[in-house]
Amino acid sequence: MSEERFDCIIVGGGLAGLTAAYVLAGEGQEVLLVEKGNYSGAKNMTGGRLYGHSLEKVIADFAASAPVERKVVKERLSRGVGDDMVTVEYDSAGLACPFGESYTVLRGKFDRWLADQAEEQGAMLIYGVRVDSLLEENGKVFGVVAGDEEMEANVVILADGANSLLAQNLGYKAPPQINQATVGVKEVIGLSEEIINERFNLASGEGLAWLFYGNGEDQVYDAFLYTNTDSVSIGVTMMLGEIDHTQNSVPQMLEDFKNNSKIAPLLEGGRLMEYSAHLIPEGGENMLPKLYGDGIILVGDAAALCANLGFTLRGMDLAVESGLLAAKTVLAAQEQGDFSADTLCAYEKALQESFVLACVKGGESCLAAVKAGGYEEDPISAFNTAMGEAGIK
Ligand SMILES: Cc1cc2nc3c(=O)[nH]c(=O)nc-3n(C[C@H](O)[C@H](O)[C@H](O)COP(=O)(O)OP(=O)(O)OC[C@H]3O[C@@H](n4cnc5c(N)ncnc54)[C@H](O)[C@@H]3O)c2cc1C
């Protein structure tokens, strides 16, 4: 028996869902966001680098008030096996240009802040509640079921992350395949601000984004390190299908990586503050689910909108942009009084016209996505050229 009715119900309070909630509530819509964690950020994981351009469109000058850690002013790319690494440092002015600006973030703080902003706009957020299924009739979604409560809405936005069981049960997407998703394991290691500045050659407020590829003794995995104000986020990622071929578990790979002779001195004296693991949808275009239907839109990781471009991993700005575009689509549907797929298809068109799908499609579109990220050139190409000039294959 349905008890409540909303203009829009959003499932999942990560960056995608919160952005949609913020925009819709700001336009006077009755919005309910349901999050299974005890607060926004409790269950959310990232490596650490948020490109600001999408959120900037939603909340101008957000970095002035949001709990960002450091502004990225320097990048490093390392390639190698075990302790033998070649590293290129990149500190182009492009990193600081308005469209390319990026910040290191910790989701526990950042998502909580965005949730507060959405609530201030008038969105209703409930925590500690899992949506179990969707209300659906003849293919039209018209609400959600959480425990023994049913709540109805004109439209449901699925923002429930990489392993969206709701989208799978609806037949909109398949479970992630082993060649489409990586698993990431990460630690946040506390160190004083002064030590971080000294060890990474940074001034206060300045951040480093450092990616590594090909770093195992007997396996290839990617790794990352981001500097926060008074901590370092460090982790490894590996394609699910590769895990079978390795002797080590992924947590052990992270342990080995931290003990690498180039890395260990940078972490010396640090204390473990956070440990997390999560799936990353990296299957590109082939992994895209059905993005909309009658009464429903998929955003962020739930829609597999994430891309590993080699020198950088992008998912958070895609989550924000897709949340924004979904909200705009719902507002237009509201005006027309039509929430069918015929109207909500505008969402997919908007994604196609934005940087989001170019980013996801990778390959040829990678450079377009790179430019959309504010770079003048592809740092991977610059890296490979530098390696070639140094005679390293
Ligand atoms: C190791 C790692 C490194 C990464 N590095 C970067 C990076 O440096 N830069 C970058 O831009 N991106 C990075 N990403 C990708 C980025 O973190 C994701 O793309 C982004 O978090 C997606 O946001 P989202 O809001 O779509 O999903 P999520 O943040 O996963 O949010 C989904 C939310 O839905 C909730 N939920 C799920 N099911 C239900 C349910 N049934 N009922 C209620 N609530 C539910 C969850 O609790 C969660 O809060 C990384 C990801 C990983 C794992």
Side-chain angles (χ1 to χ4, degrees):
M1 178 76 180
S2 178
E3 290 163 9
E4 289 181 80
R5 187 166 180 91
F6 296 86
D7 291 322
C8 180
I9 295 178
I10 299 165
V11 186
L15 294 181
L18 290 169
T19 302
Y22 179 95
V23 175
L24 286 167
E27 294 295 327
Q29 298 283 294
E30 296 273 331
V31 181
L32 173 70
L33 183 148
V34 188
E35 164 57 44
K36 71 178 176 185
N38 289 336
Y39 56 89
S40 274
K43 291 190 177 287
N44 310 77
M45 179 181 172
T46 196
R49 181 182 194 180
L50 169 72
Y51 287 87
H53 61 104
S54 288
L55 193 52
E56 195 63 37
K57 286 184 239 170
V58 180
I59 305 177
D61 207 18
F62 76 91
S65 53
V68 295
E69 297 293 315
R70 290 174 182 251
K71 181 167 169 175
V72 176
V73 298
K74 202 193 298 189
E75 297 194 23
R76 283 182 198 161
L77 278 173
S78 292
R79 180 182 261 181
V81 173
D83 286 354
D84 299 326
M85 284 187 207
V86 179
T87 299
V88 170
E89 191 168 292
Y90 183 80
D91 60 0
S92 155
L95 293 174
C97 79
F99 201 59
E101 254 173 32
S102 65
Y103 302 88
T104 55
V105 294
L106 292 167
R107 298 289 295 274
K109 291 190 216 169
F110 194 80
D111 289 28
R112 224 168 176 169
W113 168 83
L114 189 54
D116 288 345
Q117 311 309 305
E119 279 187 312
E120 273 176 28
Q121 294 294 101
M124 185 191 294
L125 274 56
I126 53 173
Y127 296 111
V129 175
R130 191 189 66 206
V131 170
D132 299 311
S133 59
L134 300 172
L135 293 171
E136 183 212 343
E137 198 174 290
N138 299 328
K140 181 185 176 345
V141 174
F142 62 96
V144 302
V145 182
D148 50 15
E149 265 212 78
E150 293 186 356
M151 290 162 283
E152 292 191 7
N154 293 331
V155 68
V156 172
I157 296 180
L158 277 191
D160 53 338
N163 196 24
S164 173
L165 297 178
L166 297 169
Q168 288 172 33
N169 292 342
L170 201 61
Y172 276 42
K173 67 191 276 194
Q177 304 297 299
I178 55 170
N179 60 347
Q180 292 183 327
T182 52
V183 63
V185 176
K186 168 187 154 188
E187 290 183 8
V188 177
I189 295 176
L191 285 165
S192 76
E193 185 174 352
E194 294 69 34
I195 287 181
I196 291 176
N197 292 349
E198 192 189 309
R199 288 185 186 170
F200 294 94
N201 194 19
L202 297 163
S204 287
E206 289 182 350
L208 164 72
W210 192 355
L211 290 194
F212 308 76
Y213 51 117
N215 282 287
E217 289 291 347
D218 63 349
Q219 68 267 314
V220 175
Y221 58 82
D222 292 340
F224 57 84
L225 185 156
Y226 299 101
T227 56
N228 305 312
T229 306
D230 53 6
S231 65
V232 167
S233 296
I234 184 165
V236 300
T237 65
M238 183 172 242
M239 193 59 81
L240 294 181
E242 295 292 325
I243 293 174
D244 263 2
H245 312 302
T246 64
Q247 288 169 358
N248 278 342
S249 66
V250 183
Q252 185 58 47
M253 289 174 204
L254 174 55
E255 214 43 49
D256 294 347
F257 181 61
K258 285 185 336 190
N259 288 325
N260 182 300
S261 64
K262 307 276 190 320
I263 302 298
L266 299 170
L267 305 177
E268 199 183 321
R271 75 189 164 88
L272 179 64
M273 298 168 67
E274 212 181 283
Y275 189 89
S276 53
H278 208 281
L279 274 185
I280 316 173
E282 290 188 8
E285 197 174 6
N286 293 334
M287 200 184 177
L288 285 176
K290 193 174 162 196
L291 293 164
Y292 65 90
D294 285 333
I296 186 157
I297 295 181
L298 276 62
V299 294
D301 274 12
L305 300 177
C306 193
N308 188 343
L309 300 177
F311 67 95
T312 192
L313 183 57
R314 306 264 298 261
M316 290 191 283
D317 58 331
L318 280 66
V320 169
E321 187 82 17
S322 60
L324 169 63
L325 296 176
K328 286 183 173 173
T329 305
V330 171
L331 290 169
Q334 181 82 31
E335 268 185 24
Q336 294 176 40
D338 176 7
F339 301 94
S340 71
D342 287 348
T343 303
L344 299 185
C345 65
Y347 169 64
E348 183 162 343
K349 189 161 178 284
L351 282 180
Q352 264 158 3
E353 286 166 1
S354 74
F355 73 96
V356 175
L357 289 187
C359 208
V360 171
K361 286 175 186 169
E364 279 178 25
S365 309
C366 181
L367 201 55
V370 165
K371 287 183 176 154
Y375 293 90
E376 290 301 315
E377 61 170 337
D378 171 0
I380 284 279
S381 307
F383 179 53
N384 286 334
T385 307
M387 299 263 286
E389 280 168 4
I392 300 160
K393 293 198 176 129

